[in-house]
Structure formats: structure tokens, C-alpha cells
Amino acid sequence: MELLQRVLDQFTPSGEAEALWLKDIFTFITEHIQPVLSGPAPPAADDVITGVCSDQLSVCVVKKIKENMSVTHTLPVSYRPVSVSELLSRQHLACVSNLSWSTNQQRAWAKEAELSLPGHRALPRVNLLLIGCLREGRGGEWRLTDASGSVRCECLSPSPLWLNHPVFLPHWNYIPHNAPGQDQDQAGGYLELIGSPVVLCPGPELGLAAGPGGGAGLSRAVGVREAAGLLQNRTRGQRVSVCGQVGSVCPLLVVAGTTFFCLSLTDGSLSLPVLVKSLCVVGTQCVCVGQSVCVTALRVCVLRGWRGNNILCATDQSEIHTNYTHTPPDYTHTPSDTPPPLMMSHSDDDDCDEAEPDRDSVQSAVSMKRSRVISYQGTVTEVVSEGAGLYVIDGKVGLCLAYQPTLRRKLRAGDCVELHHVHFLYRPCPDFPPSMLCTCLRSSLRVTAFSRVGGSPPDSSCPSDGVLPRLLLEKNTGVSGYLWTCYLSSQLTHSVMKQQCVCVLSWKLMECVRKGGGGGGRRDIYSEMLDEPHTCPLTQYHADPAVHQYISVSELSQSLQSDCWSSLSLSSLLPSGGSSLTRSQINTALAWSCRTLTSDPQNNPQSGDRLRQRPLLLVGVLELPSQTSEPALQLRDRTGAVACVVTETREEEGGGQRAAFNTAWIGCLVCVRQFTMVTERFIQSDFPSYQHLDQDKYITHKHCRVYLQFSLDHLHILSPSVAMVTHLQLKGEESGGDVTGRKQTAEEETEGGQTAGRKRRREEPDSSHSASSSVTMTTDPGSDSQPSVSMVIRVERKEGVAWRNTGAELKEGEAGLTLCFSVRAAVIGPVVSWGRDPKNRPMTERETEKEGKVVLVFSGVSARWFPLLQPGSFYRLIAANTQDPSVLIGCGVSGRSGVELHTDSTLQVQPDWRFHTLTRPLLLHTYRQALSPSVLSVSELLDCRSELVCFQALVSDRISLNDRTRDSGDTHTGVRLTVCDQTGRSLQVYLDLSHTPYPPGLLPGNTLLLSAFQIRLSRTGSVYCSYLPVSSITVVSLGDTSTVRPPPPMMHLGVWATSTEQRCILGQVKGHVVCFLFLQLQWSCSLCGSLYVQCCSSSQCRSTSSVFQSKAKLVIDDGTGEAHVWFSGALVRPLLGLADSQWEGLQRALRVRGHIKVYPRGRSLVCDSDDSLLHFLLCVCSSDVVCRQLSLTCRKHNNQRSEEKKRFSRGERDFMTRMTRPLQLTCLHVDTH
């Protein structure tokens, strides 16, 4: 109490509040500070401090507090002292404390902070007093210590004079462990000392305590030039003090348990490296670039890791004196004073110039650039990723700290930083700001002002956040690759499966996509810090503006659906001469259209598409379709799923594409780099004419379908399924490996055998799969140990999938219809029992003992296997959780006695059964030759006499046939495909999709396999094919709408006219125009087609819209015969050789009269001889412009008669004779080249 009274007498409190406050200060000093000072003294502690009394220290504290207040006539009773333990345990929000603030000053400070960083809140103010002793902690950190504990401190300009002294903190921030900028694994939080601590010294003022021999060392200090000369002549035991300006301060490194850092002292253009081990705390926190320092007691040593060069190294007696002024002695330079060859002129000229990219880089649009070494000051405005070391400065400059050791204090938004010897890179990655600053091991980063704002904790981009810098240290990849990996990691966090580590997955994806863009081997840390000129992994970098852009499945689907309508011009969907089309022709042309975009814009550039700036990249899991989706595989991520038309390359000789058949791809996490995005538009409209296309009211319904097309050869497996691991092992290839690092091995299974606990594996989707469920599952360890039975089959024929009334799995609103299809297969062997699921393991001898036939019926959930069951492929059908072989034995058809049945047994496939493709079955070639189905080409089909055929053809054209009598909303169930083969012979195929899920991939450019189609003959004699309920369509090869299709065969008129073969209806003709036979120009009603003169001539039609129609007929001769060729629509104008303005004038001239018919070989039937328009057209038809050489694509009329009767008059006699009817052709295209 006597000591407390001394304190009260010293300050004479004016009231009870101040007396209680002084008592609290004395009690706090006695309980929390005095025990620290009276305990074991640190080596640098002064005796004055260790022997101080509580009352003296309390008086000193109160005096220092009053000196730092804005008003000095009163005590700050609103502030209370807080112990370190109480601060750590009870303060859970970031806060700020400033003793000198008034209320108005604090409000102005908060407003300024929030205006400087919009969207952030200023730190709240707390009235707390922090008093303690600054001590050195683990790893060179500063800690404020009292009797209750210690807390880490971050200082802006630390001084060694503060260490081991009691201090009072007048202005500080506290950042708890759950705030931005603080690692989650650190207990408590840390302090940011904004102002300098106030050293509590009740005795004499502290000065700079020189170390042993310190004064003598400073008096004998030499400059950088003199010290450089000592490096060549190493003298044992020699110590030297060197003074100079700090040119660079390298970050603190820990190598083999040794902590050190390097700095360079400069004098003009000379630079001298110094390695410091004993003064790490003082050096890294107290020394900054630009200071004048003197380092004492240095010795010359050999740094073995640095090419055997000599270097100055600090000793245990070394000290660093800051703000030191050195007066060089007066001497004259001699040749011996020249610095040795080791010291090079400090110039960054080479680093400041951007290298000229080589020729190969220019061609690939990937340039190699050189970075520029600069210094920079700015404010951190955004924390992109703490774990990856990515920030944004001043809202426009990126900052990457990944090439340096991790900062003890992570940067926060609002921090002011000062960077020296930092690399400036321009556009190293298009997903980050164009201007990027990257630090290497020679760069220094110093926080000059702490942030004044708080914020929400940043989202962790990966459960193992911080793994990317560790991978960078291990792989030493280029900065462009690292930045792109960080971008992928942030994107995959929201779309990839939760079981995957997105950081490792992103790195694996980067190595897959950016092949050849990896690192340059192991980093040489000593050369990076010490070499002149400076070289490091950041000196050169790749700049690729066309690096892949990741996009999620849902974002891709939504963008395609919105863009397909926003970028649509209805007039562009019409053929050339669309303004002359009638109402029915316009609406038929608009009924279906497609828009295809490739993932790489260089392959198929499209203007005005926001997805076309860079190649796209997709990541997802391949899975079987759901019951409500198209019969196609799906690519799914956490955001959604999209249907996919998938092909793969044949393994047989000759290669070529085929439909996907390998079930091992189900469940694989893949990266899709090359794909085609398809958007099919369906429009129901009733436009009266071409002039009404800008009025949306005539569109009654529209929708679109989005899906992808790609080949499995363009996929990269990021995480394989168990079946894929087995498949890759059988092929002798390295598997992509699971991103979790777990290896799956194929084990031989025996009947009734038991297996050990299984590791986590990927399962195929089961019957309860939903759109929101995860595609990867962690299954029970013993799930694979369950017994099962299987049999091996080879698919011979597959029927098409359709909605059928089976009476099974009924749901409300489905009217008893279930998705069904059937497969006829050859059974290779008997049913085999297994102790565990065999999946796609190699076929055993016991599975090939017998063979038979079976019809597999798929309905409901089991119909999802339709996309992967292909004729000619082998599969193992597995029924799990049973040892009963009878479940895989089909049921026969009972018949009467004496009646021989020729039917196969039938087997209903259950929802939980699995199919696994066997790519290496026994007796593969024998079965393939014996059971290979007959697939025809279009040419072979036209000469075939069978009724049901299976053929393969290229789609050259497609139109939609509307069925307006249906009650359902989707009236686009009829499709007409024009298909051809390599010879150019074509065929039309009619599809009725009213009872079939919509099949994707029926696009011009794709090659289809059409099974069980019926050959039919039209009334005009043309051959076409029609779809049956058992017909099946499979896409076997992918193309695009710009693919050059094989031209029709070249035909000679004489041969074509006399040929009895009527099945070649399309051909190319080259010949000379002999004469014009007929020309008709007419304005017609767009609704009924009647003549339109001011109004429609039909009394029943009240249409006010008309179209201009033209028709012509001429004779062409190619030397082998003649033909009459009909032209119509847009083909007439180029045939007549008229310009667009002449054609428009001709239309205006006919507006009043409505129509004109011209017979150049006779007289006009509607106009008299004085008609000027008639004379003009007669002259045009007989001119040399018309009578010229033409190259045409024509269709032959198959309903023409071989002979016709003609009457001739000679004088008074009439003669009747039979003459061969000339070949009748309709022109489809005029080659103008």
C-alpha cells in the first residue's frame, strides 16, 4: 500500500475515477509486468530495468501515457490496461486503439479509411492499454510479453533498442486468428504496432550499446570498393567492417536448419554481397533498401553453393549500425585499386528490354519476354489468394509473392507496401491484371503502413490452401503457368467434386494443357540472390494470350442458350433469295437450325461471340444419361450436366472413328480440351412473308437444345475410375493417376475369394442418382467383396430406344410409357460366379466354354446403357449381390408339341446390373469375323434389293418437317436427312421421332450408322429410307457444318438420259447453253401463291403481302446429249447476267402488270410486239451473256416418260410421230467460279 500511495501522491487524482484508474495501473504493473522484469534477465537486458520497482515503473507508465494524450490535464480513465491472455481469449474481432485520438479524429480516420477502400469497413476502436516487455521469439519474431503470456508483434520500423525493455503501446491494431491476413492454424492473433513503442525507462536515457569492439570496428570501417578488393586475398582470422548503402535485402531463408539472409552494399555502380546468419532478427526487420549502414566484424568465407566464390559473412561479433555516415579517406587510385573481375557493374539494362520473340514463338502466338526490374510503392486493394500469394495493388497491378518464402504476416487489404528489385511482367496471364509484379529471392517487400480496415475472412480456394507455392518450389514452373494454375484453382473450387483437392488437380491440369511450359529445373538460390547480372525464374516468361479459359458446365450451357437467340437473325436462316420464298417455305426453313462453335476459336472463328476470345476448357465426370435426358453420355460437374455425343478411334488397323463403346470411361474425371458446342434451335412460326421477319409476334413457340461433341482421344484423365485403371494397365500405358495419389491395382479374383478392405473408389451412377448428387462416392470398404455372377456377350444388333407401353415403372403423367430398347447378343460362355465384382478384368478360359443367343431387354433405368452398347463389341454383364446363375439365364418361348421354335431366349436387364467392356477378349478375331454385321454405303444401298438395311453415310443436309396435328408442344418430330457417301451419291432419310427421345448429333458433317431402316420407292421413282420402331441411329464420326462434302458425281447428259438406272438422281453437269425456252417473272401472293396485281387475285385470300418469283427453262448441251434444265428463285438472276440494281428495277416494272412470260423461241402469249419490257427480256435471253458455258449441280426428274407423241404440219398434211423425251433436270446450284 505504501508503493501505491507513492503513485497517488505523485499525480494527485482529481476524483475517485482517476484514483481507481491509478490503482488499476499499479495493480496491473505489479501483477503482469513486474514478474517479467524480476525474472531471469535476457542477455541484452539492462540492470537498471531488471531492478526497477513497481511504483517507479507505474509512475513512468502514467507519465508516458499523459505525454501521448491529446489533452494532458486529465487521466484517460476510459482506457483500461489489458493483459495479453485476456486480449487473446476475449477479443475476437479485429480492432484498433489510439490513445491520442479524439472522437472527431477517430471518425475522420474511419471515414478516410472506408473511402480509400470501398466495400470495406474501418477497424472498430477499443479503449485498451497494452503494456509489456518486447522479447525475441521463435524464428526471429518480436513478441510482447507479460506475466500472462505473449503475442506476436509486427513493426513498421523496428529498433534493436526496444528489445528486452518494458514498453507501452500508444497506437496498435489487433488482428485475431479468424480475420483476413492471419493463418487459421495460429493460436490467438497478432499485434500491428502503428506507432513506435514508448520505452519505459525510469532511470537514465538508453543509448546505443556497442558490442565488443564495436567502436573500434566503426572507426576502421572501409567502403564497398575497398572491401571488394579483400575478397580475392582471403586471410584467416581477418575481420573487416564495411559501410555502404543497402542495395537489396533478400528474404529470410532456412536451409538445412540454418537461418540466414543476404544483403548487398552498394557504392555507386558497385555492389558487394553480404551473408548474415547471426543477426537475422535485427537484419531483416531493421534494415531496408536505401539505408546507410555499417556491418562490423565481417570475415571472408567461401560459399560452396555459389560456384566457389568468396563472400563476406557476418560473425557472432558482427553488428549492423543503421544511419551510419562514412567519411572515406583521401587517397589516389592505383591500378591495384581496380575491383576484381568478380564484381560486375550493377546494371539492369538487359532486364529492362523486352526480348524479340523467336520465329517459332511468333507463329504459335506464344512469345518469350524478359521482365523489367523496378521498385514500386502502393496499397494492397484486394487479396486474391493468401495461400497462393496473390494480391492486387492500387486496383490495377497484380502482385505475386509465390517465388519467395511465405510471409509470416500475410498482407491485408489496405496495407501500404514498398517493393524493391521486383520483376515487372506485362500480360503473363490473361486471367490477371495486365501489369504484374513478382518477387524473387532478391526482392524485398516492406510494409510501410498497416491496413486501417477489416473484412470478411477470405474463401479458402482449397482445403490444402498453400499447397500451390509448395508445388511451385518442387516443380519450379514458369510464372505464367503458376498464375494460370491459381486461376484454375479458384474456378474449380466451385465446380469440381468435393473429394478432389483443387490445388493438386489444377496443377495436374496445368501440366496437361501447357506441355513444354514447365520450369527450368532446380532453382539456384545463391545465384538468384547474389549473381550480377541478376538471373532467376522470373527473368524470362511466356506470354500466351490464347491460353485456355476454364468454364463450368452450367456457365457454358447458359451462355450458349442465351447467345443462340441474342445473336440470331431470322433472315440469315433462309437460303439465298429468301425474299422470294412463300409463307410455307419461310416457316419450314425457320423450323430448325443449328449453331456450332469449336472450343478453339482459331479453328472456327465467330464474330461477336463472348465465348470465343480464348480456347475453352471443361472439367467434369463422364456418366450415363438419366431417364429424362437425351440418350447420350453426360459430362457433369457440381454446377450441372450437359449431353455429349462421343466417338473414339478404332484400335484396328486403319484407325478411323467409331461410336464410344468403352464403359471404363464412366466415372472418370476428365479434362476436355477439344470439343464442339452445338445449339439446335426449334422455332414454330407463322410468318406471312419475308417482310414480317422482324415481328416476334408470329413466333408461337421456340426452344433450343445444347450439347457437346468430342472424341475420347481429346480427353485427359485426371482421376480414373477403377475400371479405367484396369483398362490402362491392360494396354500397358501409364494411368493418369488419381489426384489423391492412391493407386488402384488389378488383382486376380477367384470364385468365392475374399478381398481386403478396399480404398476409396469411384462408382458408376446407380438408379437413385439425381442431378444434385455428387458423381463420386465413398463406398463401404467391403462393397467390392460382395459376390456376383456374370456372363460375356457380344452385341450383334441394337434396336433404337423409344417410349413404349410396357406397363412397368409407371409414373403419374407418363401415360404408361417407359423408355425401352432391346439388344440381340451372342453369349460367349456360361454364367460364372465370382467372390467379388470382376469388372473389366481380362476374360478367362472358363468364360468361353459355350455360346448361344439372347435378347436383352432394357427398360426404365437400365435404358441408360444405350449410348455405350455398340454392335460388334464384347461386354461382361454382371449381376451383383447374388451367386445364383439362373438370374442371367434368359426365358424361352413355350410352343406346342411338334412346332419348332426359332426364337432366342429373353432376359430383362435389372437396374442394378452393370456392363463392362472387354477390349481384349479371348478369340477376339474369330468372333469378329464370324459375327461382323454388314454395313453398306449409300452407293451399295441404292443397288441393294433388301428391304431392311444397315448403312453408314455422311449427313449433307437436314430439314425439319412439322407435324401440326399433334397435341404436344414439340411439333418438330419429323426430320428429313440428306445423306451421301464418298462417291457423292445421295439419299434421303425420313425420321419420325414422335415416340423417341430426341437423338443429338444429327448434323450436317457427321457420319451416322443407321440400322434397320426400310428402303422405299417414292411415287416419282426415287429411293429413300424411312425410320421404323426398331431403327437405331448412332453417330460414328464427327464433323462440322463447314466440312467440305464430297461433290456429286460428274454426269454426261447422253449417258444419263439413256441410262435405265434411275437411282442416281443428283449429278454435276458441264455444258453450253443452246437456247432459252421459257422465262416467267411474276408477283405472287405469299399465302396462297396466286397472281398478285395490287392485291391477291384469289377472292378467298385477303393477303396484303406478295413475293417476286421467277422461273426459267433452257437447253444445255455437253457434247453427249441435250437436256432441259429448270431454274427458279435466286438462280435466275445470275443466269440472266443481271446486276442487283437491274433485277430490282425489273421487279418494280412488273408491279403494275403482275407477271410476264417470255418464249424466246416463239412469240409471247401475253404481250404484244410493242412491249419494251418484252423486247428487253428477249434480247437478254438471246445474248452471249446467257448463251455461255455453265457448270451446274442438277437433280434428275425420275417421273418423266421415255417417249412422247408430237404432231408436225407440212403444208396441208399433219404427221404424228414418237420422239424421245429430252432429259429433264432441275438446277440446284450454279458454279460461278
Side-chain angles (χ1 to χ4, degrees):
M1 293 300 294
E2 181 180 354
L3 297 177
L4 173 60
Q5 188 60 40
R6 292 180 185 176
V7 175
L8 296 176
D9 295 342
Q10 182 77 24
F11 296 100
T12 60
S14 60
E16 183 180 357
E18 291 189 356
L20 291 175
W21 184 84
L22 289 173
K23 183 178 179 180
D24 291 341
I25 292 293
F26 177 80
T27 304
F28 181 85
I29 296 296
T30 304
E31 295 179 356
H32 293 92
I33 307 302
Q34 188 66 32
V36 177
L37 298 179
S38 60
D46 295 334
D47 294 337
V48 177
I49 299 302
T50 56
V52 70
C53 297
S54 298
D55 59 334
Q56 294 177 319
L57 189 57
S58 299
V59 170
C60 181
V61 167
V62 176
K63 287 182 178 180
K64 296 296 183 182
I65 289 176
K66 293 186 67 176
E67 291 175 2
N68 286 273
M69 291 176 57
S70 58
V71 291
T72 58
H73 61 276
T74 183
L75 295 177
V77 294
S78 62
Y79 281 79
R80 69 177 183 89
V82 61
S83 65
V84 171
S85 62
E86 183 183 0
L87 179 71
L88 296 178
S89 61
R90 301 185 64 177
Q91 185 64 38
H92 301 300
L93 297 177
C95 59
V96 60
S97 177
N98 190 337
L99 186 62
S100 64
W101 271 346
S102 65
T103 302
N104 291 335
Q105 288 175 328
Q106 189 270 335
R107 290 175 179 173
W109 175 90
K111 183 177 181 180
E112 182 183 355
E114 293 176 357
L115 289 177
S116 62
L117 281 178
H120 292 78
R121 302 277 297 181
L123 292 174
R125 180 185 181 182
V126 294
N127 294 346
L128 299 176
L129 298 176
L130 277 177
I131 306 171
C133 188
L134 280 179
R135 297 282 174 87
E136 178 183 348
R138 183 183 57 184
E141 63 185 18
W142 299 60
R143 301 193 72 87
L144 182 71
T145 306
D146 64 11
S148 66
S150 65
V151 61
R152 179 166 62 90
C153 296
E154 296 293 338
C155 307
L156 295 177
S157 300
S159 170
L161 301 179
W162 303 341
L163 277 178
N164 303 312
H165 288 79
V167 295
F168 158 64
L169 307 183
H171 191 179
W172 49 269
N173 297 337
Y174 174 68
I175 309 299
H177 74 280
N178 60 345
Q182 176 70 10
D183 290 336
Q184 298 294 327
D185 57 352
Q186 291 186 354
Y190 66 90
L191 290 174
E192 296 174 345
L193 307 188
I194 301 175
S196 298
V198 177
V199 179
L200 303 176
C201 180
E205 292 297 327
L206 293 174
L208 176 62
L218 290 175
S219 63
R220 295 194 301 267
V222 299
V224 173
R225 183 177 298 274
E226 293 86 345
L230 301 175
L231 292 178
Q232 280 188 329
N233 302 317
R234 181 185 180 193
T235 304
R236 182 178 297 275
Q238 183 184 19
R239 299 293 184 266
V240 62
S241 298
V242 182
C243 58
Q245 191 176 31
V246 179
S248 64
V249 180
C250 300
L252 199 66
L253 298 180
V254 180
V255 178
T258 301
T259 304
F260 68 95
F261 76 99
C262 294
L263 60 87
S264 65
L265 300 178
T266 62
D267 181 8
S269 61
L270 292 180
S271 177
L272 182 68
V274 179
L275 188 145
V276 182
K277 291 193 296 183
S278 59
L279 302 173
C280 292
V281 177
V282 178
T284 55
Q285 300 195 35
C286 300
V287 178
C288 59
V289 175
Q291 279 185 329
S292 295
V293 300
C294 180
V295 188
T296 63
L298 297 174
R299 66 186 179 93
V300 180
C301 61
V302 176
L303 186 59
R304 297 177 181 176
W306 186 39
R307 306 172 184 173
N309 289 336
N310 294 344
I311 189 173
L312 291 176
C313 181
T315 62
D316 293 337
Q317 292 76 33
S318 297
E319 293 180 350
I320 298 180
H321 298 266
T322 60
N323 301 323
Y324 176 81
T325 302
H326 174 62
T327 303
D330 186 14
Y331 61 88
T332 304
H333 284 286
T334 63
S336 61
D337 294 326
T338 303
L342 170 69
M343 302 308 300
M344 303 182 65
S345 178
H346 183 70
S347 174
D348 291 326
D349 291 343
D350 293 338
D351 294 335
C352 295
D353 295 332
E354 184 175 303
E356 190 71 25
D358 53 24
R359 184 170 303 175
D360 294 337
S361 297
V362 173
Q363 293 178 355
S364 62
V366 180
S367 60
M368 178 66 74
K369 296 183 178 180
R370 293 184 68 89
S371 62
R372 183 188 300 266
V373 178
I374 64 171
S375 297
Y376 190 89
Q377 286 183 335
T379 302
V380 177
T381 53
E382 180 184 355
V383 179
V384 180
S385 173
E386 285 184 357
L390 296 175
Y391 305 87
V392 175
I393 304 178
D394 297 335
K396 55 185 178 181
V397 180
L399 175 62
C400 175
L401 306 179
Y403 285 82
Q404 278 192 348
T406 304
L407 295 176
R408 182 174 58 226
R409 174 195 177 272
K410 303 295 179 63
L411 297 180
R412 297 192 299 118
D415 285 342
C416 296
V417 294
E418 180 179 284
L419 297 159
H420 292 281
H421 205 281
V422 64
H423 292 263
F424 173 77
L425 295 78
Y426 187 68
R427 296 191 183 277
C429 180
D431 299 296
F432 286 87
S435 300
M436 287 293 299
L437 299 178
C438 299
T439 57
C440 66
L441 292 182
R442 194 164 183 176
S443 308
S444 62
L445 183 148
R446 177 170 167 259
V447 178
T448 59
F450 292 121
S451 173
R452 297 183 289 180
V453 299
S456 58
D459 294 333
S460 177
S461 61
C462 181
S464 303
D465 202 2
V467 72
L468 289 177
R470 292 196 294 271
L471 287 171
L472 176 64
L473 181 63
E474 176 184 350
K475 305 291 186 179
N476 191 25
T477 190
V479 62
S480 300
Y482 177 77
L483 292 177
W484 190 70
T485 305
C486 296
Y487 155 75
L488 280 180
S489 178
S490 64
Q491 298 297 311
L492 292 176
T493 302
H494 308 288
S495 60
V496 82
M497 283 53 63
K498 296 180 180 179
Q499 285 79 359
Q500 307 293 341
C501 173
V502 294
C503 294
V504 180
L505 182 62
S506 302
W507 196 276
K508 191 173 185 180
L509 200 55
M510 182 270 294
E511 293 179 331
C512 161
V513 175
R514 299 175 65 97
K515 294 180 179 178
R522 188 174 181 179
R523 288 175 70 178
D524 188 342
I525 61 173
Y526 299 111
S527 296
E528 187 172 332
M529 292 187 294
L530 305 175
D531 273 357
E532 293 290 350
H534 172 68
T535 57
C536 71
L538 299 173
T539 304
Q540 290 185 330
Y541 63 97
H542 291 276
D544 184 7
V547 68
H548 284 74
Q549 176 186 359
Y550 171 80
I551 187 171
S552 66
V553 170
S554 64
E555 184 182 358
L556 176 68
S557 299
Q558 293 171 5
S559 299
L560 291 175
Q561 291 176 9
S562 61
D563 290 349
C564 81
W565 301 117
S566 61
S567 61
L568 176 62
S569 172
L570 294 180
S571 59
S572 64
L573 303 181
L574 302 179
S576 59
S579 59
S580 63
L581 298 180
T582 62
R583 169 185 178 181
S584 61
Q585 292 173 329
I586 289 177
N587 294 306
T588 300
L590 297 178
W592 177 87
S593 62
C594 73
R595 179 174 182 255
T596 60
L597 301 171
T598 61
S599 58
D600 190 348
Q602 295 181 354
N603 296 337
N604 185 21
Q606 297 270 345
S607 60
D609 184 9
R610 60 189 177 93
L611 293 179
R612 310 297 298 159
Q613 304 301 322
R614 292 156 51 190
L616 298 180
L617 187 73
L618 283 172
V619 176
V621 175
L622 285 176
E623 63 178 26
L624 294 171
S626 62
Q627 283 185 270
T628 58
S629 63
E630 296 91 343
L633 293 179
Q634 289 185 340
L635 184 73
R636 178 181 294 276
D637 63 11
R638 285 172 59 186
T639 65
V642 61
C644 304
V645 177
V646 184
T647 63
E648 58 183 296
T649 302
R650 295 180 180 272
E651 298 182 359
E652 298 85 356
E653 295 183 2
Q657 294 188 56
R658 62 167 297 175
F661 72 102
N662 195 347
T663 57
W665 287 96
I666 301 301
C668 290
L669 179 66
V670 297
C671 161
V672 192
R673 297 176 56 188
Q674 299 181 31
F675 56 94
T676 300
M677 300 163 281
V678 181
T679 307
E680 295 189 24
R681 309 183 192 95
F682 301 89
I683 299 177
Q684 296 180 28
S685 61
D686 193 16
F687 287 102
S689 67
Y690 180 86
Q691 288 74 22
H692 296 82
L693 290 180
D694 57 344
Q695 302 180 28
D696 293 339
K697 65 180 182 180
Y698 294 105
I699 299 179
T700 58
H701 179 73
K702 66 179 181 180
H703 71 280
C704 64
R705 295 179 184 269
V706 173
Y707 57 91
L708 306 179
Q709 294 186 154
F710 55 82
S711 172
L712 294 176
D713 306 319
H714 298 151
L715 301 188
H716 181 80
I717 302 175
L718 299 174
S719 179
S721 63
V722 178
M724 180 56 70
V725 173
T726 304
H727 172 67
L728 295 177
Q729 289 174 346
L730 293 177
K731 291 181 65 176
E733 299 178 354
E734 294 184 358
S735 71
D738 197 309
V739 293
T740 60
R742 303 179 179 180
K743 299 295 183 181
Q744 308 278 359
T745 58
E747 303 172 3
E748 287 294 327
E749 296 183 0
T750 56
E751 183 176 354
Q754 299 296 324
T755 63
R758 297 285 290 178
K759 295 183 179 181
R760 182 179 61 84
R761 65 184 179 92
R762 191 182 307 279
E763 281 286 318
E764 296 85 348
D766 58 12
S767 58
S768 61
H769 176 77
S770 63
S772 61
S773 63
S774 176
V775 292
T776 55
M777 290 172 279
T778 302
T779 59
D780 183 77
S783 59
D784 273 358
S785 302
Q786 297 172 349
S788 60
V789 293
S790 72
M791 68 176 178
V792 178
I793 62 172
R794 182 187 186 275
V795 176
E796 294 183 352
R797 186 177 65 248
K798 178 176 71 170
E799 290 185 0
V801 62
W803 297 99
R804 295 189 175 94
N805 189 8
T806 62
E809 302 183 18
L810 292 181
K811 291 184 180 180
E812 184 179 355
E814 292 186 355
L817 297 180
T818 307
L819 203 61
C820 302
F821 76 98
S822 63
V823 167
R824 187 176 187 272
V827 180
I828 305 303
V831 178
V832 179
S833 298
W834 303 85
R836 56 185 294 185
D837 191 346
K839 297 188 182 296
N840 59 333
R841 301 184 188 277
M843 189 175 175
T844 61
E845 292 288 346
R846 59 177 179 159
E847 293 181 281
T848 60
E849 296 176 2
K850 69 173 185 177
E851 59 179 285
K853 304 291 184 181
V854 67
V855 175
L856 302 176
V857 179
F858 299 78
S859 62
V861 175
S862 62
R864 61 190 175 142
W865 293 101
F866 180 82
L868 290 177
L869 299 180
Q870 308 299 344
S873 299
F874 291 80
Y875 301 88
R876 178 182 280 128
L877 173 58
I878 301 173
N881 303 322
T882 182
Q883 286 281 340
D884 183 10
S886 63
V887 299
L888 294 182
I889 298 176
C891 301
V893 180
S894 60
R896 296 181 180 179
S897 59
V899 178
E900 183 179 357
L901 297 177
H902 296 277
T903 60
D904 300 324
S905 60
T906 303
L907 182 62
Q908 180 72 41
V909 178
Q910 300 302 314
D912 60 339
W913 290 2
R914 298 289 183 269
F915 288 83
H916 288 280
T917 306
L918 301 179
T919 57
R920 296 289 188 274
L922 301 177
L923 307 175
L924 174 62
H925 299 289
T926 302
Y927 282 100
R928 181 163 292 164
Q929 294 173 1
L931 302 175
S932 178
S934 176
V935 179
L936 306 177
S937 65
V938 173
S939 299
E940 294 171 339
L941 182 147
L942 292 175
D943 299 330
C944 179
R945 293 296 182 264
S946 300
E947 185 176 357
L948 290 180
V949 291
C950 174
F951 65 101
Q952 185 170 310
L954 174 71
V955 180
S956 59
D957 189 25
R958 164 180 170 161
I959 66 170
S960 180
L961 306 176
N962 291 351
D963 181 8
R964 298 184 178 273
T965 62
R966 289 176 52 85
D967 297 331
S968 63
D970 189 0
T971 63
H972 305 285
T973 58
V975 175
R976 189 188 75 186
L977 300 178
T978 301
V979 299
C980 61
D981 58 12
Q982 294 302 318
T983 65
R985 303 184 71 180
S986 61
L987 175 75
Q988 290 185 339
V989 180
Y990 291 85
L991 308 178
D992 180 10
L993 306 179
S994 57
H995 297 287
T996 303
Y998 184 82
L1002 306 184
L1003 305 179
N1006 286 352
T1007 302
L1008 307 180
L1009 175 65
L1010 301 105
S1011 303
F1013 273 72
Q1014 183 180 19
I1015 297 181
R1016 306 187 71 174
L1017 194 65
S1018 68
R1019 287 173 292 180
T1020 61
S1022 300
V1023 175
Y1024 67 97
C1025 287
S1026 63
Y1027 186 87
L1028 298 176
V1030 295
S1031 300
S1032 174
I1033 306 174
T1034 306
V1035 180
V1036 297
S1037 180
L1038 301 177
D1040 56 73
T1041 55
S1042 61
T1043 301
V1044 177
R1045 290 158 185 79
M1050 184 64 66
M1051 303 299 296
H1052 295 291
L1053 296 179
V1055 178
W1056 206 2
T1058 59
S1059 174
T1060 57
E1061 178 56 61
Q1062 303 292 325
R1063 299 181 179 234
C1064 185
I1065 61 173
L1066 202 65
Q1068 291 188 83
V1069 174
K1070 289 185 178 181
H1072 189 272
V1073 176
V1074 177
C1075 63
F1076 241 92
L1077 295 179
F1078 170 75
L1079 173 64
Q1080 176 178 315
L1081 306 176
Q1082 176 178 312
W1083 283 97
S1084 302
C1085 176
S1086 61
L1087 297 183
C1088 65
S1090 302
L1091 180 64
Y1092 194 95
V1093 182
Q1094 304 298 327
C1095 62
C1096 182
S1097 59
S1098 174
S1099 59
Q1100 298 180 350
C1101 180
R1102 299 183 180 274
S1103 172
T1104 59
S1105 59
S1106 60
V1107 295
F1108 185 77
Q1109 294 181 324
S1110 56
K1111 188 185 298 183
K1113 182 180 181 181
L1114 53 78
V1115 179
I1116 190 172
D1117 189 340
D1118 67 348
T1120 65
E1122 290 185 350
H1124 291 184
V1125 185
W1126 290 86
F1127 294 79
S1128 60
L1131 298 177
V1132 176
R1133 187 196 62 79
L1135 179 66
L1136 297 176
L1138 298 178
D1140 291 337
S1141 58
Q1142 295 174 314
W1143 188 249
E1144 293 173 0
L1146 193 59
Q1147 297 180 29
R1148 289 193 298 269
L1150 281 175
R1151 265 296 183 184
V1152 177
R1153 61 198 304 174
H1155 74 292
I1156 186 173
K1157 292 182 180 180
V1158 181
Y1159 296 90
R1161 299 287 289 179
R1163 59 184 180 85
S1164 174
L1165 301 181
V1166 297
C1167 302
D1168 50 38
S1169 59
D1170 294 334
D1171 190 350
S1172 59
L1173 182 59
L1174 174 61
H1175 285 295
F1176 170 75
L1177 293 176
L1178 287 174
C1179 293
V1180 170
C1181 293
S1182 58
S1183 65
D1184 295 337
V1185 176
V1186 173
C1187 300
R1188 66 185 189 274
Q1189 191 79 14
L1190 290 179
S1191 178
L1192 311 174
T1193 299
C1194 300
R1195 181 173 61 244
K1196 181 181 178 182
H1197 295 189
N1198 287 328
N1199 59 343
Q1200 60 187 27
R1201 298 184 298 272
S1202 58
E1203 293 181 344
E1204 62 178 356
K1205 295 180 180 179
K1206 277 207 170 184
R1207 180 187 301 271
F1208 294 91
S1209 299
R1210 289 295 181 265
E1212 297 179 355
R1213 295 180 178 271
D1214 291 337
F1215 299 91
M1216 291 287 295
T1217 183
R1218 289 178 177 166
M1219 298 185 63
T1220 302
R1221 183 178 176 84
L1223 179 62
Q1224 302 292 315
L1225 303 176
T1226 297
C1227 180
L1228 304 177
H1229 175 70
V1230 177
D1231 188 0
T1232 57
H1233 298 290

